[in-house]
Amino acid sequence: MKNRIKELRGERGWTQADLAQTAGVSRQTINAIETGKFDPSLPLAFRLAKLFGLRIEELFLDDQ
């Protein structure tokens, strides 16, 4: 699943570690989500969307 996390994180000047700490996950988890190696659980996806002030559909994109 494609996402806009890296783009949005960069716009805010956040590191992967910053976002990970705020979201309650490891930096490696954020990296894996950004690179498409891992799809987050639904609760984590909602948490990330809330941190960016977006709806989940605006953060995660269907890659079809």
Side-chain angles (χ1 to χ4, degrees), residues 4-43:
R4 300 177 51 212
I5 294 174
K6 185 175 183 177
E7 166 197 347
L8 295 166
R9 181 178 57 74
E11 288 174 3
R12 288 161 175 75
W14 298 346
T15 65
Q16 287 182 342
D18 294 334
L19 180 56
Q21 183 175 8
T22 305
V25 297
S26 69
R27 185 201 58 78
Q28 291 84 354
T29 297
I30 297 298
N31 180 267
I33 294 169
E34 286 184 355
T35 58
K37 295 178 182 172
F38 173 73
D39 289 333
S41 66
L42 195 53

Side-chain angles (χ1 to χ4, degrees), residues 44-56 59-60:
L44 177 54
F46 275 109
R47 198 160 56 240
L48 291 169
K50 185 176 181 179
L51 288 172
F52 287 111
L54 299 172
R55 293 186 337 231
I56 196 167
L59 184 57
F60 294 92

